Amino acid sequence: MKPSSVGSQNACLEENYQVFQSLIAKSKTYLLKGQYHYSAALAEIAAYYATWKHNGLFSSYELEEILHLLAKQTIQIENPPVKNTSDVKRVLHITSMVAGQAGLQHLLQRWIENDSSRCHSVAVSQPSISPVPEKLQSLVAASRGSIELVGNNYKRILERAQRLRKLATEADLIILHLQTEDVAPIIGLSQKTGMPPILLVNHADHCFWIGVTVVDLIVNLRTSGLILCQERRGIEPERLVLLPTPLTPVKRTLSQPEAKRRLGLSEDAVLLVSIARAPKYRPWNNINFPLDHVPLLQQHPNCFLFVVGPEHDKNWEYASQQTGGRIKAFGIRSDVSLFFQSADIYVDAFPMVSITSLLEAGSYGIPLVSYSLFSAKQAVWRADAPGIDQYLIRCQNINEYRNKLSLLVENAELRSKLGWNIQEDITRLHIGESWLESVDTLYERAKTISRKSDTFFFSSQRNISELDLVTPQILKDYRTIERLFYDYRHLLPRNWLHLRVRLRIWMIVVLQKLGLKQQIQNLLGILNRQE
């Protein structure tokens, strides 16, 4: 990284940190005034901002202390029902959402599906505009559990927190599958009286999240995430567990030749497949997923690249034109198994990897190739997971990536051997009885571990490393702080700050339409000086 680039990134981190600290201060102010609902809303905005505007922190004890204080002031502790604590029979999954294409939702469903001997209930903590997926409904019903849309039934964050606490006391074990900013479950579960063991699935191991001071065990899905928890979140090793991501057994419904024909390909075509959310393929720092594959496909006229997730926009169309239409993005599809069953080689998304998709592809017996320009010090931005670490082909520059892909394109026997080895390892760890044994061990550890009770808060330490410098460039949300305030307007006070934010947004929209950039800067400068 060039010195000028380092200086620019340091400035970005510092600016993000100052905004984060100002949000913490606003939340504390409302807390001290006894305006607890506003304090909770500001805390959630702060957590969201810290996630998407990285500032050098992967956790914040200052923020979590506010959440604990809100719990002490607002959450009523009732006498919990008498339960048999010797075994885990009733599991409550608290999740921020249940709809969408993200791996978090699929992981929740597969967990319940694979752990079918227990009763599983689901509480959805944030408002949901989409219906609960039918598959999740049937899985929960089959386990004799229930689903409650807490975020839809209770408008305010603290009301949700109280309801989540009530549901938690009725379970033998709590598993959190949360968006990084979701403060309601953390507030509701902060006071441990009557609480069963609390586990948090560390699906967002690469970014900031809350709950460090509340959960008893952190369930990590890969080693790099576990190490980051210890080094940057200050979590004790005994509270860190590595668990393979649950997968469903592969059921091939088509032969590979038939699957290829359905995609319009001949049997002898060599198909590269990649499946992930569109942002993971977003061009960055001269890295461009479709264009970076053009030389490979030009070298091999029988090679195709089909990608599910991103839309086939101008960027993809240009790459397609350069290869005679052999590069294509299909957008979001419900029939992803068709692509897995057709694939000869699976190529990981970049610049952001997609671990769940790698595991799913490997379970079909497809060789896996991942390109990442990140160093070992930035390990959470690279691909790793139990079951793929031994046979995943990793590449650290684009020439190595193309050369190894070229070798696989030309050697069907090598593809078959690698695919078989990966499939065997993934099946052994992620599917069936082996995964259930891992979960049983996890539950047993949760029941016997020394519970977190009186939390000691200390100042969060920022550590500006290679990882911190690169994270804001990859992990982005283009919403401004003004936009965040506006999105939370129903939870914030209608005072002069709120009105000023609304005025600022209105000015930006109007003046941008008029093309008056200098006027925007001048007016925002005046408002900033007046605050």
Side-chain angles (χ1 to χ4, degrees):
M1 189 175 290
K2 298 178 180 179
S4 59
S5 178
V6 171
S8 174
Q9 289 307 312
N10 268 315
C12 174
L13 289 167
E14 186 60 30
E15 180 181 348
N16 291 345
Y17 182 68
Q18 294 304 322
V19 175
F20 175 68
Q21 288 294 87
S22 72
L23 292 169
I24 295 286
K26 288 182 173 69
S27 181
K28 283 184 178 178
T29 298
Y30 284 122
L31 175 64
L32 294 173
K33 290 181 178 179
Q35 296 177 304
Y36 302 125
H37 291 293
Y38 300 152
S39 177
L42 263 299
E44 186 157 296
I45 293 172
Y48 187 96
Y49 195 86
T51 300
W52 295 101
K53 309 285 186 182
H54 184 66
N55 61 46
L57 293 173
F58 285 91
S59 63
S60 170
Y61 289 86
E62 292 89 347
L63 177 55
E64 298 208 9
E65 185 174 23
I66 291 174
L67 303 182
H68 279 262
L69 291 172
L70 283 170
K72 289 180 179 179
Q73 295 294 332
T74 65
I75 301 301
Q76 298 179 4
I77 299 178
E78 301 176 358
N79 292 327
V82 177
K83 300 191 297 290
N84 175 14
T85 58
S86 62
D87 194 15
V88 175
K89 296 181 179 179
R90 295 175 294 179
V91 179
L92 174 65
H93 300 264
I94 300 179
T95 182
S96 301
M97 59 178 65
V98 287
Q101 299 294 318
L104 177 61
Q105 287 76 56
H106 297 306
L107 187 149
L108 171 62
Q109 291 184 13
R110 289 167 179 166
W111 192 305
I112 296 172
E113 184 175 22
N114 289 0
D115 187 28
S116 58
S117 65
R118 295 178 173 91
C119 174
H120 294 268
S121 293
V122 176
V124 187
S125 57
Q126 291 185 329
S128 177
I129 60 174
S130 302
V132 178
E134 291 183 6
K135 182 176 181 179
L136 180 61
Q137 292 185 49
S138 62
L139 288 171
V140 170
S143 78
R144 305 172 307 283
S146 60
I147 300 175
E148 182 170 332
L149 300 179
V150 175
N152 287 14
N153 297 335
Y154 299 88
K155 179 181 178 181
R156 291 181 166 183
I157 291 173
L158 297 178
E159 293 169 347
R160 298 175 211 160
Q162 184 68 64
R163 179 55 184 167
L164 290 169
R165 179 178 183 83
K166 170 64 175 176
L167 294 173
T169 60
E170 299 170 358
D172 300 319
L173 185 78
I174 310 299
I175 303 177
L176 304 179
H177 311 257
L178 303 180
Q179 294 295 97
T180 58
E181 80 284 354
D182 192 357
V183 301
I186 307 305
I187 295 171
L189 306 179
S190 288
Q191 300 179 85
K192 291 304 183 72
T193 302
M195 283 291 102
I198 304 168
L199 282 58
L200 182 142
V201 179
N202 187 18
H203 70 96
D205 56 15
H206 56 288
C207 59
F208 176 98
W209 47 258
I210 54 175
V212 170
T213 60
V214 172
V215 299
D216 300 301
L217 285 178
I218 288 84
V219 181
N220 299 278
L221 305 176
R222 54 185 186 143
T223 302
S224 61
L226 185 151
I227 292 172
L228 186 68
C229 275
Q230 188 173 347
E231 293 181 348
R232 297 297 303 273
R233 296 187 175 99
I235 300 173
E236 304 92 325
E238 59 269 21
R239 294 175 55 215
L240 298 171
V241 179
L242 186 65
L243 179 75
T245 302
L247 299 175
T248 52
V250 168
K251 295 181 180 178
R252 278 190 172 269
T253 57
L254 300 169
S255 66
Q256 188 185 46
E258 176 58 27
K260 284 183 177 179
R261 281 194 291 272
R262 294 197 181 189
L263 290 175
L265 301 178
S266 62
E267 183 176 341
D268 61 349
V270 178
L271 177 60
L272 279 61
V273 166
S274 189
I275 301 173
R277 293 183 296 111
K280 298 197 172 190
Y281 300 95
R282 185 181 295 138
W284 172 74
N285 261 19
N286 298 320
I287 302 297
N288 189 303
F289 187 92
L291 295 182
D292 285 338
H293 286 89
V294 168
L296 174 75
L297 268 66
Q298 289 177 337
Q299 181 183 349
H300 299 281
N302 68 326
C303 187
F304 292 76
L305 172 63
F306 286 177
V307 181
V308 176
E311 296 296 330
H312 195 82
D313 59 16
K314 293 180 180 179
N315 185 43
W316 289 86
E317 180 56 30
Y318 180 76
S320 181
Q321 291 172 0
Q322 300 301 305
T323 57
R326 289 181 289 126
I327 292 179
K328 186 174 181 181
F330 285 78
I332 297 173
R333 296 278 293 247
S334 59
D335 57 345
V336 293
S337 64
L338 172 62
F339 291 83
F340 284 133
Q341 293 179 85
S342 304
D344 293 288
I345 304 167
Y346 185 85
V347 291
D348 194 8
F350 61 76
M352 293 178 66
V353 299
S354 184
I355 306 300
T356 302
S357 296
L358 279 169
L359 290 167
E360 290 176 348
S363 70
Y364 279 86
I366 308 168
L368 310 177
V369 183
S370 182
Y371 164 45
S372 174
L373 68 165
F374 303 112
S375 70
K377 294 180 179 179
Q378 303 158 346
V380 288
W381 290 113
R382 301 164 70 179
D384 72 296
I388 65 172
D389 288 336
Q390 184 175 359
Y391 294 105
L392 171 67
I393 298 175
R394 294 181 175 86
C395 309
Q396 286 196 272
N397 64 67
I398 193 62
N399 290 329
E400 179 189 13
Y401 178 70
R402 291 175 185 147
N403 289 338
K404 290 186 175 179
L405 277 177
S406 184
L407 181 63
L408 286 173
V409 169
E410 295 170 351
N411 193 329
E413 184 179 352
L414 178 60
R415 295 199 302 266
S416 178
K417 183 178 180 180
L418 281 172
W420 187 88
N421 285 330
I422 287 172
Q423 184 180 40
E424 186 179 56
D425 277 3
I426 289 176
T427 301
R428 176 172 53 84
L429 294 173
H430 297 261
I431 297 172
E433 290 300 320
S434 178
W435 185 83
L436 276 175
E437 290 176 7
S438 298
V439 166
D440 288 339
T441 301
L442 171 67
Y443 291 169
E444 184 62 30
R445 185 169 175 180
K447 298 293 287 188
T448 58
I449 192 172
S450 176
R451 303 292 307 284
K452 287 190 70 62
S453 54
D454 295 330
T455 304
F456 174 70
F457 293 99
F458 55 89
S459 296
S460 300
Q461 298 297 314
R462 295 178 72 212
N463 180 10
I464 309 305
S465 65
E466 288 183 21
L467 173 61
D468 298 280
L469 292 172
V470 76
T471 296
Q473 302 177 55
I474 309 169
L475 197 66
K476 291 183 178 180
D477 184 305
Y478 293 97
R479 282 193 286 182
T480 63
I481 188 63
E482 291 83 14
R483 181 69 208 187
L484 273 176
F485 275 120
Y486 186 74
D487 291 343
Y488 277 82
R489 63 192 180 278
H490 59 291
L491 297 176
L492 292 172
R494 293 184 174 276
N495 59 13
W496 64 271
L497 174 62
H498 185 208
L499 293 173
R500 182 165 294 170
V501 169
R502 294 175 65 184
L503 176 62
R504 188 178 302 188
I505 294 171
W506 177 83
M507 285 191 302
I508 291 173
V509 172
V510 172
L511 294 177
Q512 279 180 339
K513 288 182 178 180
L514 296 174
L516 304 176
K517 294 183 179 179
Q518 187 58 51
Q519 285 86 337
I520 295 174
Q521 297 301 322
N522 293 341
L523 286 168
L524 291 183
I526 293 171
L527 284 175
N528 287 332
R529 287 194 297 271
Q530 289 178 347
E531 289 184 0

